[in-house]
Amino acid sequence: ALMRGKIHKIPVLLASATPSLESYYNHIQSKFKYLRLTKRYGGAKYPQVYIVDMDQEQEESGKTGQILSGFLLDKIEERLQKKEQVILMQNRRGFSPIIRCGDCGVLETCPDCNVPMAYHRTGSALKCHYCGHSIDRIPANCRSCNSINIRMFGTGTQKIETIIGETFSNASFERLDMDTSKTATALTNTISSFGSGDVDILIGTQMISKGLDFENVTLVGIINADTGLFLPDFRSGERLFQLIYQTAGRAGRRKKSGEVVIQTYNYDNQVIKYASSLDLKKYYNIILNERNDLNYPPFSWMAKLEISGTSKNKLQLVAKNIRDNLKTPYTGLEILGPVDCYYERLRNRFRMQIVLKSYKTADSNGRKLHNYIKKNFPKGNYLTNSGVKITIDINPVSLL
């Protein structure tokens, strides 16, 4: 969009409550003009935000594995008595994201993706959220040690739904995630029911964090603010900050004041701290300094070479061969890898990556990086004779 705007010499408007760090940096560099809304619509005030330290909560209550804090439960009860509405966000669908043997610790994983399969109470019992592979029922025995001590760990939206139903039996609630909104009609019906006041509590994943505008919603609960916090991706903190910030914005959007309860096991983490204070400017300035120290975007141009194949041995040989035959890097080009991707195998294909970082101090417009890629990969993306696929992603949104 920006390039088309430049070609046709027309203005481009980028709109977001939480702009990307790159857009924010372009504003600092005076490349973008920043039009900021300093007040909420209709004179509404920003919600009061509370952080609940779940470690302390469990210590004081003596209950391990507590999912909803006493503080949040009290706040929900208050809202129900006032005939006001509640949104609860848990960014994991299903009932439990992990099925593990209680004796040897082996996880029940997808055979095609090598990631944990999630337990669902409706439909197929175990589902892979990456390729869709499913198993009708939970295995009775561990596939490794044959133990019958099979346990469920973690929390998904279905478990929150169950807890709410047991705790607030007189309240009406709906769940909104990829499982309940496979069609546009199902999605629209759920939102319409909530908007009309027929539903007291809306439970969902990040689908409910943006764009919803209901004047009777006065409480937002973020069940586990730590989800995604420690993923090995330089954008993980930024993404989580944006998710918490936007979810919090669903509360108190009209005359009624709103409150937000954020539950976390990382009480002092700066992402949680600044998201709870809705201080975008301070947090963005902190991560800009971190990105600058490590030469990550927006201080460099980046390209990800993803190499994938059904044979791990062939994949490793091709990846090593690609790395060994890359032309001598120019000054200001850093080459990282090859290494296994965080999700090492998806849809029965093993994955490795090589990351190229071109410092803007040496490559102000990214032209050197593009020329380097064209010299090394004149055909762009391609498939090798050994069935290994090479995909080039310029300025990738994720390194997972």
Side-chain angles (χ1 to χ4, degrees):
L2 291 170
M3 184 54 68
R4 298 235 6 215
K6 184 176 180 180
I7 291 170
H8 297 293
K9 297 179 181 177
I10 56 174
V12 177
L13 180 65
L14 306 175
S16 175
T18 52
S20 70
L21 197 66
E22 284 83 353
S23 291
Y24 182 78
Y25 180 70
N26 280 330
H27 144 65
I28 292 175
Q29 296 295 304
S30 299
K31 291 183 178 180
F32 288 1
K33 186 177 180 180
Y34 192 11
L35 305 174
R36 187 165 180 264
L37 299 177
T38 57
K39 297 178 181 178
R40 297 185 99 186
Y41 173 78
K45 294 180 180 179
Y46 281 102
Q48 174 71 45
V49 183
Y50 304 93
I51 305 179
V52 177
D53 185 342
M54 292 302 287
D55 283 325
Q56 184 178 336
E57 175 82 13
Q58 293 188 19
E59 190 178 312
E60 291 176 353
S61 66
K63 299 176 183 177
T64 57
Q66 194 170 355
I67 296 170
L68 298 182
S69 64
F71 184 80
L72 178 56
L73 291 172
D74 289 343
K75 289 292 183 183
I76 295 172
E77 181 64 37
E78 285 177 20
R79 291 308 184 275
L80 294 176
Q81 289 179 359
K82 291 181 178 180
K83 305 295 183 184
E84 295 171 354
Q85 291 172 294
V86 179
I87 288 179
L88 300 176
M89 197 275 287
Q90 169 67 11
N91 203 21
R92 285 284 182 273
R93 60 191 175 106
F95 190 87
S96 292
I98 294 173
I99 308 297
R100 187 169 70 195
C101 174
D103 291 330
C104 72
V106 165
L107 301 177
E108 193 64 41
T109 57
C110 173
D112 295 327
C113 298
N114 198 32
V115 297
M117 296 190 73
Y119 169 62
H120 288 243
R121 280 203 165 175
T122 56
S124 301
L126 297 183
K127 296 179 184 177
C128 173
H129 291 168
Y130 292 89
C131 73
H133 178 82
S134 62
I135 300 173
D136 289 340
R137 59 179 61 88
I138 297 176
N141 303 84
C142 171
R143 56 187 166 83
S144 177
C145 71
N146 210 36
S147 168
I148 60 171
N149 186 18
I150 306 299
R151 297 184 178 183
M152 288 182 263
F153 294 88
T155 302
T157 49
Q158 288 182 4
K159 185 182 285 189
I160 303 300
E161 184 181 36
T162 301
I163 294 170
I164 291 297
E166 293 171 349
T167 309
F168 304 101
S169 56
N170 294 325
S172 58
F173 54 88
E174 289 279 358
R175 175 166 52 89
L176 190 60
D177 54 29
M178 288 292 288
D179 298 319
T180 62
S181 58
K182 292 180 179 178
T183 65
T185 302
L187 173 66
T188 303
N189 288 344
T190 301
I191 291 176
S192 296
S193 296
F194 190 65
S196 63
D198 296 334
V199 175
D200 299 315
I201 303 172
L202 182 63
I203 304 160
T205 55
Q206 64 179 354
M207 292 176 68
I208 63 174
S209 67
K210 301 176 184 180
L212 300 184
D213 181 27
F214 302 114
E215 65 176 301
N216 201 37
V217 173
T218 56
L219 176 66
V220 165
I222 299 174
I223 309 301
N224 186 356
D226 309 328
T227 304
L229 183 59
F230 299 111
L231 288 173
D233 186 344
F234 71 97
R235 284 196 175 96
S236 61
E238 178 188 356
R239 284 202 193 94
L240 180 60
F241 176 90
Q242 293 168 341
L243 179 62
I244 295 173
Y245 191 103
Q246 294 226 5
T247 307
R250 300 312 99 206
R253 297 179 64 85
R254 291 293 189 276
K255 293 179 181 179
K256 296 178 182 178
S257 59
E259 292 181 316
V260 179
V261 178
I262 300 173
Q263 298 187 158
T264 177
Y265 288 92
N266 294 273
Y267 187 81
D268 295 322
N269 186 278
Q270 64 180 12
V271 177
I272 308 296
K273 177 183 175 183
Y274 290 113
S276 65
S277 62
L278 303 177
D279 197 337
L280 184 146
K281 183 177 180 180
K282 187 169 285 188
Y283 177 68
Y284 274 28
N285 286 336
I286 287 172
I287 42 177
L288 274 176
N289 289 329
E290 291 180 358
R291 299 268 186 97
N292 190 21
D293 291 341
L294 298 170
N295 266 309
Y296 273 106
F299 300 98
S300 66
W301 305 105
M302 184 176 284
K304 178 176 73 171
L305 312 177
E306 185 174 303
I307 310 143
S308 66
T310 54
S311 168
K312 188 169 185 177
N313 289 335
K314 286 182 181 178
L315 172 64
Q316 289 174 334
L317 289 173
V318 171
K320 184 178 184 302
N321 186 50
I322 289 174
R323 178 64 182 89
D324 292 343
N325 287 284
L326 285 176
K327 299 183 184 302
T328 303
Y330 53 85
T331 301
L333 178 66
E334 186 179 353
I335 303 175
L336 306 174
V339 295
D340 292 329
C341 293
Y342 177 69
Y343 300 115
E344 183 185 356
R345 180 158 58 99
L346 291 179
R347 298 173 183 86
N348 209 27
R349 292 185 71 85
F350 293 94
R351 305 161 65 237
M352 297 185 75
Q353 64 182 4
I354 297 172
V355 174
L356 309 179
K357 286 197 300 182
S358 184
Y359 304 162
K360 288 186 178 179
T361 51
D363 184 17
S364 59
N365 55 15
R367 193 167 297 161
K368 287 183 180 180
L369 177 60
H370 280 273
N371 290 337
Y372 183 82
I373 291 172
K374 286 178 182 177
K375 287 178 182 177
N376 284 277
F377 305 95
K379 296 179 181 178
N381 304 335
Y382 67 95
L383 190 68
T384 66
N385 294 331
S386 58
V388 174
K389 184 179 180 181
I390 287 87
T391 306
I392 303 168
D393 188 0
I394 304 296
N395 294 325
V397 296
S398 171
L399 295 181
L400 299 177

